[in-house]
Amino acid sequence: MFELILKVPEAAVEAVCDALDALDAQSVTVEDADAMTPAEQALFGEPDMPPPKAGWNQSRVVALFAQEVGAREAAVLLQAQDFFEGCVVLGVQPVPEQDWVRLTQSQFAPVEITSTFWIVPTWHEPPAVAREVIRLDPGLAFGTGTHPTTRMCLRWTARRDWAGQRVLDYGCGSGILAMGAARFGATDIVAVDIDPAAVESTRLNAQANRVTLMAGLPDLAQGEFELVLANILATPLKVLAPLLCAHVAPGGHLVLAGILSRQAGELTEAFAPWLVLTVADEEDGWVLMTAQRG
């Protein structure tokens, strides 16, 4: 594999990336060319919102090609285009051979939920202090315990006894929240998602953790539950408000995540006809919102 490395002004980033895609680049990444300097820019997009710009004032664009000749031909063709004005070809270089599996694994360490409850990849030994452990490797479905929304849901669940309780994990992803409820006593657990890959991931993870649950598409969720968990995003949560509230049993709890701090008011208003939401936790700009049916 070979990298074609370019320096591109903001106005040309989109056109250059489109051209690289047309020239059969296997991947294209855009970074701040001024990163780690006083000119570095904070540029990012939030959930449900597009990024504010296509690139930085000066972007470093890296295109990956299968062959060196493809990378060099792309560089020549780009330099002949009008939109390439102001851009610079920094070079073509081979991608160093690496053990990509080991490199990926090194990025995922055990995650502390509470002092005694940990999410641990299969290639690590659980910490000595861990009394409750979920074994989980990164995969296609969301939920490895590293994101604040997942950690807040798991922390909230871990502080209560769910023995004999019925639990619904709506938008289950990897099934991590369902398995968390099982670790703290829940025995009648339903996990649903609109993505069949997430359903299959949940089934496999539950089997690996010796957790008994039912996983399927959303129509599998029937009746009322003492605990309803939904870690999605604010917009779908607002749409799902009547459905989620209808699944909460008398005295039961609703736990919502995937909500930015600035969106808490919107969620409170959306759920007001059915339940009164309050902020139960906050981390890194995200909030956990909960309600209990009377």
Side-chain angles (χ1 to χ4, degrees), residues 162-169 177-179 181-191 211-215 220-229:
W162 300 104
Q165 302 295 292
R166 193 164 190 242
V167 174
L168 172 62
D169 181 358
L177 301 186
M179 293 186 290
R183 286 289 181 266
F184 293 92
T187 53
D188 187 356
I189 304 167
V190 178
V211 169
T212 300
L213 54 73
M214 293 190 297
L220 181 66
Q222 301 292 326
E224 296 180 336
F225 299 80
E226 281 76 29
L227 174 60
V228 176
L229 298 154

Side-chain angles (χ1 to χ4, degrees), residues 152-153 155-157 159-160 253-257 259 264 268 276-283 286-292:
M152 287 190 292
C153 286
R155 275 200 303 265
W156 191 94
T157 303
R159 291 169 180 152
R160 291 156 181 82
H253 295 269
L254 175 66
V255 177
L256 306 177
I259 306 162
T268 300
V276 178
L277 286 176
T278 58
V279 174
D281 200 355
E282 185 167 3
E283 184 178 341
W286 299 88
V287 294
L288 183 77
M289 303 192 75
T290 65
Q292 184 173 17

Side-chain angles (χ1 to χ4, degrees), residues 29 32 61 75 77 87 114 129 151 172 182 201 206 247 254 293:
T29 59
D32 188 355
V61 176
L77 290 169
C87 303
T114 72
V129 296
R151 290 198 301 270
C172 56
S201 178
H247 282 307
L254 175 66
R293 184 176 295 283

